[in-house]
């Protein structure tokens, strides 16, 4: 039996979809434990490219059971669309997809509130996806959310929805001058969604704990990245959930003592989407060059990603708070053409040098990165099949990343296809 957690160790978009898809071949369950359809995991198969937002990336393997845990906020309309899109492409989820009855539900008023608040003068602009994720988690924390289990009971759902819409409409009208929502329409729409979702709904905490008892192999799939975690990220420029490996226990009902291995995923450089500090961000020319070659556009929103040099300070903090034991490095090939490659090993802040990632977000805006410079390899790596066949300077670069993070690199991706993957030491 193996119980592993795969987490992003930067600001998300590290290529977790591909890594999870590959690791899923050898497991029985793949479990998503946080976030919502603000996530976008891209998986490239022989039959095409797929972008998943809610359904775990193990769905392409017919023997794998995929679980959406209680820590996820579920937009039923988006979920049903994703299920039907997969079915049209020949991937059935019947009998293989399970949704926690304790997961909270996203409603139209959450999406509208997300956008209204982001546009409201006086509020910090975070750069959210506008999918209603934050407002849904807010309702959860305020104990006024509606869960999947509530959606399955018509009377309970009607009672809770009436209270929710009454409250939200007051806020919309008085603060945002927005007319609000009709109870009848939302109720009718979500009764339809409930009927579609019902075959997949169960107590997934019981299912997963029984699977652990029976020695099944389980892979927990994180969305976003560590530095978007609501506690450990660059707050307030973060998502609204617990992205770190500890969130796997909270978001599924599996005890933390059951989690055996944590695999961290990093790009060979760094990216982030939206607002917030980014000490190692490229200049405009290099940004455009790397963005174009790396196809750095958000899988969920299509927004261009900001790109920068590898930040070992940021990644080392991720290793610490997640307990990362193995690293998967993606997109090494994007750096193939560069003469010189930099690695940030520390920050200069207020005249002092620090190698620890600071909690003060404002300080990060003015932090000056301290760089090591490494010679590039100026050679195509996309067709390399063995680590020893990589250019010497590429191996030196990877070795230095591993040294700085004090963690072995076990998986290397040199392209988007699953065949463009090198195993230095197979993750257990």
């Amino acid at each position: 039996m193996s119980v592993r957690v795969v987490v992003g160790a930067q600001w998300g978009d590290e290529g977790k979809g591909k890594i999870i898809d590959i690791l899923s071949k050898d497991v029985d369950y793949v479990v998503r434990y946080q976030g919502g359809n603000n996530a976008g995991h891209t998986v490239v198969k022989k039959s095409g490219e797929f972008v998943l937002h809610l359904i775990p990336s193990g769905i392409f393997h017919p023997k794998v059971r995929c679980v959406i845990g209680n820590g996820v906020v579920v937009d039923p309309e988006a979920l049903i669309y994703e299920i039907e899109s997969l079915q049209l492409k020949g991937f059935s989820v019947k009998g293989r997809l399970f949704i926690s009855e304790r997961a909270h539900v996203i409603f139209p008023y959450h999406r509208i509130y997300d956008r209204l608040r982001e546009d409201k003068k006086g509020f910090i602009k975070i750069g959210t996806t506008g999918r209603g994720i934050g407002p849904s988690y807010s309702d959860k924390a305020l104990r006024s959310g509606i869960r999947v289990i509530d959606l399955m009971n018509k009377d309970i759902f009607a009672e809770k929805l009436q209270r929710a819409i009454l409250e939200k409409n007051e806020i919309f009208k008085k603060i945002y001058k927005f007319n609000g929502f009709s109870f009848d329409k939302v109720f009718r729409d979500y009764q339809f969604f409930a009927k579609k979702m019902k075959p997949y709904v169960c107590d997934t905490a019981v299912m997963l704990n029984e699977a652990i008892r029976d020695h099944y192999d389980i892979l927990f799939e994180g969305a976003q990245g560590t530095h978007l975690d609501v506690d450990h990220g660059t707050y307030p420029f973060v998502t609204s959930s617990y992205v770190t490996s500890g969130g796997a226990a909270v978001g599924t009902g599996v005890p933390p003592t059951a989690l055996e291995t944590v695999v961290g995923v990093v790009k060979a450089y760094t990216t982030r989407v939206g607002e917030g500090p980014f000490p190692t961000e490229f200049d405009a020319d290099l940004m455009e060059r790397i963005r174009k070659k790396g196809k750095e556009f958000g899988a969920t929103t299509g927004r261009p990603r900001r790109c920068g040099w590898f930040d070992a300070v940021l990644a080392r903090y991720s290793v610490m708070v997640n307990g990362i034991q193995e690293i998967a490095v993606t997109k090494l090939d994007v750096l193939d053409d560069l003469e010189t490659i930099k690695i940030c090993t520390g920050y200069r802040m207020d005249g002092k040098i620090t190698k620890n990632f600071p909690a003060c977000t404002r300080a990060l805006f003015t932090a000056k990165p301290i760089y090591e410079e490494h010679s590039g390899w100026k050679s195509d790596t996309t067709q390399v099949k063995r680590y020893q066949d990589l250019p010497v300077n590429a191996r030196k670069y990877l070795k230095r990343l591993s040294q700085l993070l004090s963690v072995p690199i076990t998986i290397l991706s040199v392209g988007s296809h699953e065949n463009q993957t090198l195993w230095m030491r197979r993750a257990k």
Side-chain angles (χ1 to χ4, degrees):
M1 178 190 80
S2 70
V3 180
R4 287 173 290 176
V5 186
V6 175
V7 295
Q10 295 162 316
W11 275 297
D13 307 306
E14 299 94 349
K16 295 183 295 297
K18 173 183 174 177
I19 301 302
I20 293 162
D21 174 56
I22 291 170
L23 293 176
S24 297
K25 295 176 183 178
D26 301 322
V27 305
D28 303 295
Y29 291 82
V30 177
V31 188
R32 172 80 178 275
Y33 62 84
Q34 48 77 217
N37 60 315
N38 56 339
H41 289 173
T42 303
V43 178
V44 179
K45 310 294 288 182
K46 289 181 180 179
S47 51
E49 181 174 295
F50 302 87
V51 179
L52 299 170
H53 300 285
L54 281 165
I55 296 175
S57 302
I59 199 66
F60 301 105
H61 304 284
K63 294 182 180 179
V64 174
R65 294 183 171 190
C66 291
V67 178
I68 296 174
N70 56 273
V72 179
V73 286
V74 178
D75 183 327
E77 186 172 12
L79 176 65
I80 291 164
Y81 175 80
E82 199 165 313
I83 289 171
E84 292 177 348
S85 296
L86 284 171
Q87 289 173 336
L88 284 172
K89 294 175 182 178
F91 296 98
S92 174
V93 305
K94 187 176 181 181
R96 298 198 301 121
L97 179 65
F98 305 89
I99 305 166
S100 172
E101 57 192 14
R102 291 179 171 86
H104 279 248
V105 179
I106 294 174
F107 287 89
Y109 50 76
H110 290 133
R111 294 192 292 271
I112 293 296
Y113 187 38
D114 209 352
R115 294 163 193 163
L116 290 174
R117 192 174 186 277
E118 185 82 348
D119 294 339
K120 181 77 173 175
K121 288 182 179 179
F123 285 106
I124 296 174
K125 191 171 180 64
I126 305 297
T128 74
T129 61
R131 300 294 199 273
I133 309 301
S136 181
Y137 277 116
S138 295
D139 278 357
K140 178 179 180 177
L142 288 168
R143 285 88 71 195
S144 59
I146 299 174
R147 300 186 299 169
V148 170
I149 191 66
D150 302 323
L151 204 58
M152 298 299 116
N153 185 304
K154 184 177 180 180
D155 294 334
I156 293 174
F157 175 50
E159 180 185 340
K160 291 195 171 188
L161 183 64
Q162 281 178 330
R163 287 202 302 264
I165 285 185
L166 179 65
E167 178 189 34
K168 294 299 185 295
N169 281 352
E170 285 291 304
I171 293 171
F172 288 152
K173 289 174 185 176
K174 292 180 178 178
I175 298 178
Y176 299 102
K177 312 303 180 187
F178 183 85
N179 287 332
F181 290 87
S182 159
F183 166 83
D184 290 338
K185 180 175 183 348
V186 176
F187 182 75
R188 184 171 61 251
D189 289 346
Y190 276 69
Q191 281 288 283
F192 171 76
F193 298 150
K195 185 177 179 181
K196 290 267 190 177
M197 288 173 60
K198 190 172 183 179
Y200 308 107
V201 175
C202 67
D203 191 332
T204 55
V206 171
M207 169 187 284
L208 292 171
N209 278 280
E210 289 178 347
I212 290 170
R213 181 198 64 196
D214 295 335
H215 305 291
Y216 284 100
D217 294 316
I218 303 174
L219 185 66
F220 290 89
E221 172 184 12
Q224 288 90 35
T226 297
H227 290 273
L228 292 180
D229 182 272
V230 70
D231 274 348
H232 293 286
T234 48
Y235 189 89
F237 304 99
V238 295
T239 193
S240 302
S241 57
Y242 298 108
V243 178
T244 56
S245 59
V250 175
T252 62
V254 165
T257 51
L259 307 178
E260 297 176 329
T261 307
V262 182
V263 180
V265 185
V266 297
K267 276 178 183 165
Y269 49 102
T270 309
T271 62
R272 82 171 296 170
V273 174
E275 308 298 324
F278 191 169
T280 66
E281 193 165 8
F282 293 142
D283 60 40
D285 290 341
L286 186 54
M287 176 93 70
E288 186 59 31
R289 183 177 167 187
I290 295 297
R291 182 184 287 157
K292 184 177 180 180
K293 183 167 184 182
K295 299 179 181 178
E296 295 295 355
F297 298 89
T300 298
T301 63
R303 290 182 295 180
R305 296 180 185 132
R306 299 156 64 193
C307 307
W309 298 114
F310 188 90
D311 189 336
V313 182
L314 174 132
R316 199 161 46 232
Y317 185 83
S318 298
V319 169
M320 179 181 72
V321 298
N322 287 295
I324 291 172
Q325 297 143 294
E326 303 177 6
I327 288 283
V329 176
T330 65
K331 293 200 170 185
L332 182 75
D333 55 296
V334 178
L335 304 181
D336 283 352
D337 300 331
L338 300 184
E339 291 278 358
T340 303
I341 299 170
K342 297 180 182 180
I343 303 173
C344 172
T345 59
Y347 300 146
R348 189 178 297 278
M349 302 171 63
D350 298 324
K352 298 179 180 179
I353 294 174
T354 181
K355 294 190 176 182
N356 295 321
F357 195 79
C360 180
T361 303
R362 182 171 292 182
L364 274 172
F365 277 109
T366 57
K368 301 298 182 185
I370 298 170
Y371 288 120
E372 288 181 355
E373 290 196 1
H374 295 258
S375 298
W377 42 93
K378 298 289 289 181
S379 178
D380 179 30
T381 61
T382 60
Q383 303 306 312
V384 174
K385 301 300 181 186
R386 300 185 306 167
Y387 176 73
Q388 55 266 40
D389 294 333
L390 285 169
V392 172
N393 285 344
R395 281 183 275 142
K396 286 181 178 178
Y397 180 70
L398 293 169
K399 183 178 180 181
R400 185 56 179 150
L401 296 188
S402 181
Q403 287 174 341
L404 287 166
L405 302 183
S406 300
V407 179
I409 296 171
T410 59
I411 305 171
L412 176 65
S413 174
V414 291
S416 58
H417 197 277
E418 59 187 321
N419 292 334
Q420 294 173 296
T421 309
L422 285 66
W423 301 91
M424 273 77 98
R425 178 175 62 81
R426 185 63 183 264
K428 294 180 180 178

